[in-house]
Amino acid sequence: VRALKNFSTTLKIRFRVVVGELNPDRDEICQMLQGDDRFDVFADAVNMAEQLRAVDLAIGAGGVTLWERFFMGVPSLVFC
C-alpha cells in the first residue's frame, strides 16, 4: 500500500483496497489512505465477488482470496 500511495503518474488510476478484519495492519492502512481520492478502501468487505468484478488487476497474497481471483478470472500479481 505504501508503494501504491507513493506511485506517481499522469494517468488517472484508481485503487480499490480491500482489508480484512484479521489483517494486523488494518487500522494503519485505513488511516494512511484516508483523504487520498485515488483510493477506495473497503474494510471487512462481505462482497468479494462484486469487489473483484470492479477491477482490471488485483495485487494480493496467496490464500483464499487467490482462489477467488482465479475463479473470477481476475489477472493478479501474487506475493508471499
Side-chain angles (χ1 to χ4, degrees):
V1 171
R2 283 185 187 95
L4 293 176
K5 185 153 176 67
N6 292 324
F7 184 72
S8 176
T9 181
T10 56
L11 301 173
K12 294 192 182 253
I13 297 176
R14 292 201 54 85
F15 300 98
R16 181 177 294 244
V17 178
V18 179
V19 184
E21 66 180 320
L22 298 179
N23 186 321
D25 301 316
R26 184 183 117 188
D27 293 338
E28 180 184 353
I29 291 169
C30 291
Q31 185 177 7
M32 181 188 335
L33 299 178
Q34 186 176 3
D36 192 325
D37 293 338
R38 299 172 302 160
F39 292 87
D40 295 318
V41 180
F42 300 88
D44 306 328
V46 294
N47 57 345
M48 280 306 293
E50 187 176 317
Q51 297 296 336
L52 290 171
R53 267 194 294 273
V55 300
D56 297 313
L57 174 71
I59 303 171
V64 173
T65 56
L66 175 62
W67 292 106
E68 292 172 327
R69 294 188 304 262
F70 281 162
F71 180 80
M72 297 294 294
V74 177
S76 299
L77 299 174
V78 182
F79 60 92
C80 54

